[in-house]
Amino acid sequence: FPPIGSQGQYGTCVSWAVAYNTKTALSGIQRNLTTSDLTSPQNQFSPKDMFTSIPDQEKGQNCDGTNFGFALDVLQNRGVATMATVPYDNLGNCSQSLLDPSWATEAANYKIKYWRRIDPTATSIKQNISNNIPVILGAKLADNFMNWGDDNVISSHSFFDPTNQHGYHAMVIAGYDDNKGPNGAFRVINSWDVDWGDRGYIWVDYNFLINCDEVHNYLLLIDFL
């Protein structure tokens, strides 16, 4: 995976999960790139390009949120440009009118063949990860997640305080460890910079993630191009 990134004040978590983390990882695996190689913007994929490319009626104003399906359809049909071409800065209001034609030209070289949902089970998630296929996750976040700051396993949620609730949030399940915590845990990548969680990651208990009512999406991305 590329280095932990930061979506900043914008609701662009879906494009960070889909483009920056997942597409970058899949491309790196396909091209036999090293972790060091993935520190280069030329080998990373741009959350700004992806989010801006999503039709305006399918995302919130001022870069405020979208759904997985819209982002994945962009990746399948249009592709996504690199961070070298479209850095994550000067986002503006993320309207499609801000797209540069040169972005689409590059993006056409970086598509996926298809994507699909997977069964919401620990076995299914682990099978895909073991085959080098990251799993994109959507979840409704509670207070303890918002303020997490170590490498312990999160296995329960505190109350949902409307004044401190992030709402639904996109992340990537990048790994797992059957010996982490009492039940085993998934390694999840966030886009809130390295000061959050365990240097930008969090361990989530298998049972908690699978059974938690606030988890609402498991998505599998397969790249054959």
Side-chain angles (χ1 to χ4, degrees), residues 188-202:
V188 175
I189 300 177
N190 204 351
S191 51
W192 290 351
D193 216 339
V194 295
D195 295 331
W196 175 88
D198 177 20
R199 303 182 302 278
Y201 293 80
I202 190 171

Side-chain angles (χ1 to χ4, degrees), residues 12-190:
T12 54
C13 58
V14 166
S15 61
W16 276 91
V18 173
Y20 180 76
N21 283 312
T22 301
K23 177 58 177 168
T24 298
L26 290 170
S27 177
I29 292 167
Q30 183 183 54
R31 297 159 60 197
N32 294 315
L33 301 181
T34 66
T35 302
S36 178
D37 291 332
L38 296 185
T39 63
S40 169
Q42 292 181 334
N43 296 322
Q44 301 167 352
F45 292 96
S46 171
K48 177 180 176 179
D49 175 67
M50 172 169 283
F51 200 90
T52 308
S53 300
I54 295 169
D56 292 346
Q57 68 272 18
E58 295 172 348
K59 60 192 174 189
Q61 294 182 347
N62 298 317
C63 313
D64 188 20
T66 190
N67 292 327
F68 287 125
F70 302 139
L72 289 162
D73 286 345
V74 164
L75 187 54
Q76 183 178 26
N77 298 317
R78 173 190 177 269
V80 61
T82 66
M83 286 281 266
T85 299
V86 192
Y88 190 74
D89 55 21
N90 301 318
L91 263 67
N93 60 13
C94 292
S95 168
Q96 279 190 309
S97 64
L98 300 176
L99 287 171
D100 187 309
S102 66
W103 302 358
T105 300
E106 182 182 75
N109 297 313
Y110 302 108
K111 299 180 181 180
I112 58 168
K113 186 171 182 179
Y114 68 87
W115 61 273
R116 66 177 175 88
R117 296 178 186 270
I118 64 171
D119 294 331
T121 66
T123 298
S124 179
I125 296 171
K126 290 162 67 175
Q127 285 175 340
N128 284 285
I129 293 172
S130 68
N131 287 316
N132 288 329
I133 302 169
V135 176
I136 303 167
L137 166 71
K140 192 174 184 179
L141 308 182
D143 296 353
N144 60 343
F145 188 97
M146 299 285 292
N147 300 314
W148 206 256
D150 56 47
D151 68 347
N152 291 321
V153 177
I154 189 169
S155 59
S156 66
H157 61 72
S158 59
F159 66 95
F160 286 93
D161 178 358
T163 64
N164 193 36
Q165 185 176 321
H166 186 87
Y168 285 113
H169 182 55
M171 296 165 285
V172 176
I173 305 176
Y176 64 89
D177 186 342
D178 290 339
N179 299 310
K180 184 73 174 178
N183 303 306
F186 291 111
R187 188 67 159 162
V188 175
I189 300 177
N190 204 351

